[in-house]
């Protein structure tokens, strides 16, 4: 039987096009990761050696030191690293908690409840998302500074208000998270309403319906809300940088911002390796979040982008 | 006779209950939405409205007294090259960033859409820059570009050429800002393009196969038309994001050389927090808001009319 037979399944051959795709994706991918490689290596330099080395693309220290990494993890006498890390962490947890709570409940209200003016309210809230955030920057500063009866203010003026206090970070929490509300609503609308009715027939109350039946179905989209909020807060340098000044209130990104603006100043040599290690300390937790939950990021990006 | 008295009470009770039942949804909605929308109005709505008003005042320094000057700030905005120049730079640099990011991302998405071994790994690697902190990574770019001891210049010197002082040259400064922005954005763009590619109806490809279409013809007649909705979405959101970039400008060039890379949002920051010219900062914010709002509204009109799709521009995932 040497006669040629029509092959139903083509045998997989080494496809030159696939090979080229691998080369491009991997090659460019490694270039994209270069800044992270550099950060890891630079962390092993001492301040003195770093300033004396003529930097090549791949710097290898002659006398590698763990000092920077130790300072990052355990803190040191002249650095409040652990305060920065804890501040970042508390802010992130706080904002993520509120984002989840408000977007889930608001998403439920808009997807499942019937009330007058629902569509109008929904569209108005969405429309505000198009206004760029920069416009509120200065008014927010004024609002925080003039917060009634806070820190020496009579009704509006006189003191510093809640600027430069923990309230700067706490104040925004309970406000509705419009982006998350939108996503949860879209996702809830794909759950058939018959499920609610069946649950009610079986005797479930509203709270039970919301938290025991609908909530578990929304976990993927809530994961996306949580991840974007967590990453956004963790990397946010602007809020602490503009609205706080004392050292004990800084977060990792804002501390780096301050160190690097101090580095531009005329006095002394900047401690680049330490700054870079702090930067790595900022980046790594974000990477961990990303690696553990990347499935949800892909799904979430897709659902925001493609269809409702 | 005696029976009527006890009856009255239950009837009133059921009426009240009926009211409660009929408007049950509204009560629950008010209980859920009321507090969080109120608080949103206080912490976000009010400052935004205040920002719109700010542009109509002359207000130098927070201690100073605001003075109503009508449209003077806006007239200055469009006469002073410091401001309209910054706006134009925002637009063309934003366009440059957008076009480069989207085309690179599209190319990457086409490759990632192939049946490759380990494509999930590539997706992650390409997206990693998007989750890093801007402060931390611009620092590495600054070291890379340092005129005295930067890695690139050290490499150029080791090849025997003259080092380049990137920071003194406008084209190079713009170039590196664009490179940084693309570095950070290309993975996200690729993911969205990829989701778009995978949402194209598979049967169309099968039909094209039967008709004997080649790879290039399929790209042109099936893939690209199928991508249209997501293309509008991603182009608009990326443009809106890109005309508002300022962090990389602030950390990499500081607007230099000679203010030639100063974009509008960075100008707003300088006005607000360095020069304390609150009126001009408010006016510039309003101009930016109007531009963004107009672009988005046009986009909505077009998309909701054509296919009733509800998409909203994502705030940048930091």
């Amino acid at each position: 039987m040497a006669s040629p037979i029509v092959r139903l399944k083509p045998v997989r051959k080494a496809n030159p096009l696939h090979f080229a795709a691998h080369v491009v994706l991997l090659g460019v991918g490694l270039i994209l990761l270069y800044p992270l490689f550099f950060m890891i290596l630079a962390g092993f330099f001492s301040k003195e050696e770093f300033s004396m080395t003529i930097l090549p693309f791949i710097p290898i220290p002659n006398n590698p030191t763990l000092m920077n990494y130790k300072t990052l993890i355990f803190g040191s006498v002249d650095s409040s690293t652990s305060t920065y890390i804890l501040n970042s962490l508390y802010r992130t947890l706080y904002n993520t908690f509120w984002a989840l709570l408000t977007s889930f409940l608001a998403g439920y209200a808009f997807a499942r409840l019937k009330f007058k003016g629902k569509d109008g309210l929904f569209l108005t809230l969405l429309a505000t998302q198009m206004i760029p955030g920069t416009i509120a920057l200065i008014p927010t500063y004024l609002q925080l500074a003039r917060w009634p009866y806070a820190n020496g203010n009579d009704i509006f003026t006189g003191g510093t208000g809640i600027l430069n206090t923990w309230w700067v970070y706490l104040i925004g929490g309970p406000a509705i998270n419009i982006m998350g509300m939108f996503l949860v609503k879209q996702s809830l609308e794909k759950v058939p309403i018959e499920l609610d009715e069946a649950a009610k027939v079986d005797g479930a109350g509203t709270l039970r319906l919301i938290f025991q039946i609908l909530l578990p179905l929304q976990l993927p989209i809530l994961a996306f809300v949580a991840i974007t909020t967590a990453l956004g807060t963790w990397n946010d340098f602007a809020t602490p940088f503009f609205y706080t000044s004392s050292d004990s209130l800084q977060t990792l990104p804002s501390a780096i911002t301050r160190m690097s603006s101090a580095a531009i100043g005329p006095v002394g040599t900047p401690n680049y390796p330490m700054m870079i290690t702090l930067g790595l300390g900022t980046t790594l937790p974000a990477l961990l979040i990303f690696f553990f939950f990347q499935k949800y990021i892909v799904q979430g990006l897709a659902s925001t982008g493609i269809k409702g | 006779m005696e029976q009527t008295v006890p009856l009255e009470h239950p009837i009133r009770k059921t009426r009240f209950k009926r009211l409660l039942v009929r408007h049950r949804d509204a009560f629950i909605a008010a209980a859920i939405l009321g507090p969080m929308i109120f608080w949103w109005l206080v912490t976000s709505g009010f400052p935004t409205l205040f920002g719109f008003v700010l542009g109509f005042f002359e207000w130098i320094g927070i201690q100073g007294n605001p003075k109503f000057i009508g449209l003077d700030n806006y007239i200055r905005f469009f006469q002073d090259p410091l401001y309209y120049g910054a706006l134009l730079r925002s637009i063309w640099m934003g366009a440059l960033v957008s076009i480069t990011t989207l085309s690179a991302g599209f190319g990457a998405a086409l490759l990632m859409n192939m049946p490759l071994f380990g494509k999930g790994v590539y997706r992650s690697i390409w997206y990693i820059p998007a989750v890093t902190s801007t402060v931390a990574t611009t620092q590495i770019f600054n070291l890379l570009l340092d005129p005295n001891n930067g890695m690139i210049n050290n490499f150029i010197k080791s090849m025997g050429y003259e080092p380049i002082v990137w920071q003194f040259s406008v084209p190079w400064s713009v170039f590196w800002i664009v490179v940084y922005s693309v570095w950070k954005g290309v993975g996200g763009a690729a993911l969205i393009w990829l989701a778009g590619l995978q949402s194209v109806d598979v049967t169309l490809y099968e039909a094209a196969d039967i008709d004997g279409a080649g790879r290039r013809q399929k790209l042109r007649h099936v893939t690209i038309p199928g991508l249209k909705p997501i293309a509008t979405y991603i182009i608009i959101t990326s443009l809106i994001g890109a005309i508002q970039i300022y962090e990389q400008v602030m950390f990499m060039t500081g607007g230099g050389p000679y203010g030639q890379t100063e974009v509008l949002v960075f100008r707003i920051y300088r006005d607000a927090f360095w020069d304390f010219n609150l009126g001009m900062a408010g006016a510039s914010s309003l101009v930016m808001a109007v531009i963004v709002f107009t672009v988005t509204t046009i986009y909505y009109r077009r998309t909701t009319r054509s296919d009733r799709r509800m998409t909203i521009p994502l705030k940048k995932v930091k």
Side-chain angles (χ1 to χ4, degrees):
Chain A
M1 288 287 284
S3 66
I5 300 165
V6 177
R7 275 206 215 107
L8 288 176
K9 259 191 182 169
V11 170
R12 228 173 144 172
K13 280 187 293 182
N15 188 334
L17 201 69
H18 286 188
F19 180 70
H22 274 297
V23 170
V24 173
L25 287 175
L26 189 66
V28 181
L30 289 180
I31 296 175
L32 292 177
L33 288 187
Y34 170 74
L36 296 185
F37 290 135
F38 183 87
M39 283 170 135
I40 295 170
L41 287 174
F44 290 107
F45 276 79
S46 68
K47 179 185 164 189
E48 289 74 24
E49 192 184 351
F50 192 82
S51 60
M52 280 168 20
T53 311
I54 296 171
L55 289 175
F57 281 110
I58 298 170
I60 309 285
N62 287 324
N63 307 305
T65 166
L66 283 174
M67 199 186 59
N68 298 309
Y69 288 107
K70 274 188 187 154
T71 312
L72 174 70
I73 298 166
F74 304 111
S76 71
V77 189
D78 56 339
S79 149
S80 358
T81 321
S82 46
T83 318
Y84 306 147
I85 294 179
L86 284 180
N87 285 348
S88 294
L89 191 68
Y90 293 148
R91 272 198 76 194
T92 305
L93 291 176
Y94 179 83
N95 281 357
T96 309
F97 165 76
W98 279 110
L100 285 175
L101 189 72
T102 62
S103 39
F104 176 65
L105 287 178
Y108 167 79
F110 279 110
R112 284 294 202 255
L113 302 176
K114 292 188 196 82
F115 54 94
K116 254 188 198 164
K118 184 168 89 166
D119 292 345
L121 185 62
F122 181 70
L123 288 178
T124 316
L125 286 176
L126 271 195
T128 61
Q129 290 299 90
M130 301 170 203
I131 301 169
T134 41
I135 194 161
L137 204 79
I138 308 132
T140 303
Y141 183 88
L142 295 172
Q143 187 184 35
L144 295 172
R146 304 271 162 94
W147 200 266
Y149 304 115
N151 278 352
N153 273 357
D154 52 34
I155 182 156
F156 288 123
T157 52
T160 50
I162 54 173
L163 270 185
N164 197 24
T165 64
W166 255 98
W167 289 110
V168 168
Y169 301 144
L170 300 178
I171 207 82
I176 185 172
N177 182 318
I178 296 173
M179 187 68 216
M181 172 273 287
F182 172 80
L183 292 173
V184 172
K185 175 183 183 267
Q186 301 294 92
S187 153
L188 254 179
E189 276 169 353
K190 285 183 208 136
V191 178
I193 191 96
E194 285 78 14
L195 187 73
D196 297 31
E197 284 155 8
K200 271 180 197 158
V201 169
D202 288 347
T206 308
L207 281 179
R208 206 188 168 91
L209 170 73
I210 297 179
F211 287 103
Q212 276 197 341
I213 293 163
L214 295 180
L215 180 65
L217 295 172
Q218 301 313 309
L219 288 182
I221 202 70
L222 286 175
F224 181 68
V225 173
I227 295 159
T228 46
T229 314
L231 288 178
T233 314
W234 181 266
N235 286 334
D236 170 37
F237 84 97
T239 314
F241 189 68
F242 289 116
Y243 304 135
T244 72
S245 54
S246 59
D247 202 41
S248 61
L249 284 172
Q250 300 309 308
T251 59
L252 273 176
S254 71
I256 302 170
T257 316
R258 290 178 148 208
M259 284 177 87
S260 52
S261 15
I264 299 165
V267 190
T269 337
N271 190 350
Y272 276 117
M274 191 62 235
M275 268 157 53
I276 293 170
T277 313
L278 279 188
L280 194 65
T282 318
T283 309
L284 284 183
L287 284 186
L288 283 182
I289 298 181
F290 169 68
F291 275 121
F292 280 115
F293 300 105
Q294 56 171 315
K295 176 174 106 185
Y296 299 111
I297 294 191
V298 178
Q299 280 177 6
L301 279 179
S303 70
T304 49
I306 297 180
K307 53 186 172 203
Chain B
M1 284 285 273
E2 275 173 29
Q3 284 171 342
T4 53
V5 179
L7 256 179
E8 219 177 66
H9 192 61
I11 284 173
R12 276 178 60 199
K13 206 175 175 184
T14 42
R15 246 186 220 158
F16 178 69
K17 255 192 181 167
R18 219 181 281 155
L19 187 81
L20 198 73
V21 167
R22 194 189 297 157
H23 297 284
R24 198 168 162 276
D25 276 13
F27 282 123
I28 299 176
I32 292 176
L33 293 175
M36 53 174 97
I37 290 183
F38 167 75
W39 199 245
W40 176 84
L41 285 174
V42 171
T43 56
S44 187
F46 170 72
T48 307
L49 275 182
F50 194 96
F52 286 135
V53 178
L54 209 54
F56 299 94
F57 286 84
E58 185 185 80
W59 193 354
I60 315 278
I62 289 172
Q63 306 301 331
N65 278 326
K67 193 176 95 193
F68 184 79
I69 51 166
L71 291 174
D72 282 9
N73 282 336
Y74 297 95
I75 295 167
R76 172 156 180 226
F77 186 97
F78 289 103
Q79 282 175 347
D80 191 339
L82 198 61
Y83 291 96
Y84 72 78
L87 174 62
L88 291 179
R89 272 192 291 274
S90 281
I91 293 172
W92 71 258
M93 277 168 69
L96 206 60
V97 167
S98 245
I99 292 168
T100 329
T101 311
L102 291 183
S103 17
F106 187 69
L110 282 181
L111 296 182
M112 288 174 192
N113 202 24
M114 290 178 172
L116 298 177
F117 173 74
K119 57 184 174 177
V121 179
Y122 294 139
R123 251 187 348 222
S124 324
I125 293 181
W126 280 63
Y127 192 70
I128 283 174
V131 302
T132 62
S133 117
T134 313
V135 190
T137 44
T138 45
Q139 221 170 51
I140 306 301
F141 273 72
N142 285 342
L143 277 175
L144 206 65
L145 304 175
D146 194 274
N148 297 317
N149 192 14
M151 286 87 98
I152 298 182
N153 270 335
N154 287 342
F155 179 71
I156 294 177
K157 277 189 265 185
S158 74
M159 303 291 286
Y161 296 100
E162 280 292 299
I164 303 168
V165 185
W166 316 99
Q167 286 78 0
F168 284 176
S169 142
V170 181
W172 278 122
S173 296
V174 173
F175 175 79
W176 286 110
I177 290 172
V178 173
V179 167
Y180 179 82
S181 314
V182 173
W183 173 75
K184 203 155 187 199
V186 67
L191 281 187
I192 298 183
W193 278 127
L194 189 62
L197 286 173
Q198 286 167 354
S199 73
V200 178
D201 195 350
V202 186
T203 51
L204 290 178
Y205 286 110
E206 285 160 7
D209 273 336
I210 292 166
D211 291 346
R215 189 186 294 274
R216 210 170 280 169
Q217 280 170 310
K218 274 193 277 187
L219 181 69
R220 201 175 138 203
H221 297 288
V222 181
T223 312
I224 290 178
L227 279 176
K228 226 173 174 185
I230 200 154
T232 353
Y233 166 81
I234 191 177
I235 289 169
I236 293 293
T237 47
S238 136
L239 256 180
I240 288 173
I243 61 173
Q244 292 186 71
I245 58 172
Y246 73 94
E247 288 169 320
Q248 41 270 63
V249 177
M250 177 161 151
F251 294 131
M252 287 173 77
T253 69
Y258 310 111
Q260 290 299 305
T261 55
E262 197 175 271
V263 287
L264 188 57
V265 178
F266 183 48
R267 182 74 233 167
I268 296 173
Y269 272 89
R270 291 184 72 146
D271 269 344
F273 289 95
W274 300 2
D275 305 342
F276 297 106
N277 189 346
L278 304 183
M280 271 320 285
S284 314
S285 310
L286 188 59
V287 173
M288 185 53 104
V290 167
I291 292 172
V292 171
F293 199 81
T294 317
V295 172
T296 330
T297 316
I298 294 172
Y299 158 70
Y300 269 120
R301 283 271 173 81
R302 295 196 52 180
T303 46
T304 44
R305 201 176 290 162
S306 61
D307 58 355
R308 293 254 144 230
R309 231 170 259 268
M310 281 292 298
T311 46
I312 80 166
L314 252 183
K315 292 254 159 110
K316 197 173 61 183
V317 179
K318 278 186 186 163

